[in-house]
């Protein structure tokens, strides 16, 4: 089989003033951004509701602590479903193309989120209420498992090589926009009297997400297939068994991707959700030195997401200039150094300080890693199994870092009677894992995405020894 040279085959190397290429690039950016906004609107909204609404409405209130842990456990179920969805749709994305998979996932993910707004409560149907919530969460996670991987791959394969970090990060502004929108919406409905909030107010944002589904579906149906997948089809190089490839030759890249994501993904959900549960419990005087109003901490998420709208593309741009690893390592080390001062400050129970801590954790620490990650993950994998590789790296790490963050975080707080040091140590640990991983991953900036071998791979000569080697070819 032959492979065309990058200069001849890769449409992403065409000049940005080419009208057709520029139009496709804009269309891809918009399609990815709207999907990312919908996913993170739903996930951020669900996380915010978990700490203050779902624990009350979907569980027996004879033991509120059990209800809180149970609500976060269901929150984690969505993360368990994500790798399965990533695996199934990742295989389809590498075999059938990126476009149609992204059409299916947006319908599945958005439909499940809308249905959550129609569910009966524990008071109405008893144990059936949390069962139905689990089912919707599974469907939501199943679709979301391929959504972000698809958006990541789509933009990396469309973006011009020299500015891939910047363009690949643009759709992830949708993550910040979705999180920002969820925080604003939640802050608004949190102003309702508690009786109205728990009776009908919480349902409104889930039902309203149906409008985002329609917009995203319209845009994606007009999208063209990515240039690199078209080249695979043209040269008859599409993998017959991408799943087999990813668990043999692609496994080192998946493991590396998981390590990179531990601090970014875990830190994101800790600062968005566990901190909210931490300060909200102040109402009972359990965890903090003094109470904080339940809606105050959500402004930290709001401000952090607003910062992220600028910091994600900016750090993506910096990764084009200074390399993916250097910028990524900065974010990981920043979180490592930030962990203990941040949680100590939260423990003081000062409203404005809690807002600042959460905002910096999300807007600077987390998003300094997310920016370069948008291009780095697709660059780690060869063209034949890139979608599946990115999906597995993202979603397995989402279970290990993001999914466990809520359940383990709340459990640790309950176990230690709200001791802030244990959460600081938790955050520092995942930051240390990611920091170490940045020293193992090769520099991928400028890598040709038409290549079929991974940047991190097991060489054919050393495969029998299990020795992992890296290569960093521009």
């Amino acid at each position: 089989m032959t492979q065309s040279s990058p200069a001849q085959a890769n449409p992403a190397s065409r000049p940005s003033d080419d009208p057709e290429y520029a139009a496709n690039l804009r269309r891809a950016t918009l399609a990815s951004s709207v999907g990312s906004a919908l996913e993170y609107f739903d996930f951020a909204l669900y996380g915010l509701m978990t700490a203050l609404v779902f624990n009350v409405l979907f569980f027996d209130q004879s033991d509120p602590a059990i209800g809180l842990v149970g609500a976060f456990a269901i929150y984690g179920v969505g993360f368990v479903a994500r790798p399965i969805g990533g695996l199934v749709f990742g295989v389809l994305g590498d075999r059938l193309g990126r476009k149609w998979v992204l059409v299916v996932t947006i319908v599945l993910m958005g439909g499940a989120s809308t249905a959550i707004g129609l569910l009966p409560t524990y008071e109405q149907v008893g144990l059936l209420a949390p069962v139905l919530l689990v089912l919707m969460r599974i469907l939501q996670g199943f679709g979301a498992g391929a959504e972000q991987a698809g958006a990541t791959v789509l933009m990396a394969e469309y973006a011009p090589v020299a500015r891939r970090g910047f363009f690949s990060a643009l759709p992830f502004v949708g993550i910040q926009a979705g999180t920002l929108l969820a925080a604003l919406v939640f802050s608004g409905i949190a102003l309702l009297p508690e009786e109205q909030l728990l009776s009908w107010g919480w349902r409104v944002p889930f039902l309203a997400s149906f409008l985002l589904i329609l917009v995203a579906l319209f845009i994606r149906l007009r999208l063209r297939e990515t240039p690199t997948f078209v080249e695979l089809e043209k040269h008859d190089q599409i993998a017959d068994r991408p799943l087999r490839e990813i668990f043999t030759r692609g496994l080192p890249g998946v493991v590396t991707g998981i390590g990179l994501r531990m601090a970014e993904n875990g830190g994101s959900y800790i600062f968005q959700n566990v901190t909210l549960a931490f300060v909200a419990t102040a109402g009972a005087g359990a965890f903090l030195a003094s109470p904080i109003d339940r809606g105050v901490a959500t402004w930290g998420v709001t401000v952090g997401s607003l910062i992220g709208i600028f910091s994600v593309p900016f750090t993506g741009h910096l990764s084009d200039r200074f390399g993916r690893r250097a910028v990524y390592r900065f974010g990981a080390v920043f979180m490592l150094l930030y962990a203990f001062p941040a949680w100590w400050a939260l423990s003081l129970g000062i409203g404005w300080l809690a807002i600042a801590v959460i905002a910096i954790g999300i807007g600077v620490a987390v998003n300094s890693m997310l920016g370069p990650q948008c291009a780095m993950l697709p660059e780690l994998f060869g063209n034949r199994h890139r979608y599946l590789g990115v999906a597995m790296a993202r979603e397995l790490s989402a279970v290990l870092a993001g999914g466990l963050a809520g359940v383990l975080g709340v459990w640790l707080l309950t176990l230690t009677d709200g001791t802030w040091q244990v959460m600081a140590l938790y955050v520092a640990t995942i930051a240390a894992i990611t920091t170490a991983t940045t020293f193992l991953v090769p520099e991928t900036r400028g890598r040709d995405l038409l290549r079929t071998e991974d940047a991190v791979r097991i060489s054919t000569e050393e495969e029998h020894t299990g020795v992992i080697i890296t290569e960093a070819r521009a």
Side-chain angles (χ1 to χ4, degrees), residues 71-126:
F72 270 101
I74 294 180
Y75 180 69
V77 165
F79 289 94
V80 176
R82 289 180 67 138
I84 302 173
L87 189 152
V88 172
F89 289 117
V91 170
L92 294 176
D94 281 322
R95 296 194 64 182
L96 305 179
R98 324 310 191 196
K99 172 185 174 178
W100 291 108
V101 169
L102 287 173
V103 169
V104 173
T105 57
I106 200 73
V107 173
L108 180 61
M109 181 180 64
S113 299
T114 302
I116 289 175
L118 301 172
L119 292 181
T121 64
Y122 184 90
E123 185 178 352
Q124 294 170 321
V125 296

Side-chain angles (χ1 to χ4, degrees), residues 173-234:
V173 172
I175 293 177
Q176 313 308 316
T179 304
L180 176 61
L181 180 60
L184 287 172
V185 168
F186 186 81
S187 296
I189 65 172
L191 297 176
L192 291 171
E194 186 171 357
E195 182 180 351
Q196 294 182 24
L197 171 65
L198 297 179
S199 62
W200 59 266
W202 70 272
R203 299 181 184 274
V204 174
F206 286 105
L207 297 175
S209 66
F210 183 70
L211 299 176
L212 281 175
I213 301 173
L214 296 179
V215 173
L217 189 60
F218 172 76
I219 295 171
R220 289 188 174 182
L221 287 173
R222 300 178 66 239
L223 184 65
R224 295 186 181 181
E225 190 51 78
T226 68
T228 54
F229 188 81
V230 169
E231 288 300 313
L232 277 181
E233 290 183 312
K234 185 183 298 184

Side-chain angles (χ1 to χ4, degrees), residues 25 28-29 32 150-159 164 167-168 170-171:
L25 183 60
T29 303
S32 302
T152 301
V153 171
L154 184 78
M155 277 313 302
E157 293 184 344
Y158 260 112
R164 186 184 291 148
F167 276 98
S168 296
L170 287 181

Side-chain angles (χ1 to χ4, degrees), residues 22 47 53 69 120 129 166 186-187 217 222 229 235 267 280 306 320 335 347 350 360-361 388 390 400 405 445 461:
V53 176
V69 174
F166 172 73
F186 186 81
S187 296
L217 189 60
R222 300 178 66 239
F229 188 81
H235 297 281
L306 186 61
D320 283 328
M335 181 175 287
S347 73
I350 302 173
I360 294 171
L388 181 58
V390 173
L400 296 174
R445 177 182 55 171
E461 295 81 13

Side-chain angles (χ1 to χ4, degrees), residues 46 49-50 53-75 120-123 126-127 129-131 133-134:
Y46 191 101
M49 294 287 189
T50 294
V53 176
F54 290 153
N55 61 315
V56 175
L57 293 180
F58 287 86
F59 293 90
D60 184 355
Q61 288 303 290
S62 60
D63 188 344
I66 295 298
L68 183 62
V69 174
F72 270 101
I74 294 180
Y75 180 69
T121 64
Y122 184 90
E123 185 178 352
L127 288 175
V131 170
L133 186 61
V134 168

Side-chain angles (χ1 to χ4, degrees), residues 120 140 284 403:
Q140 187 186 53

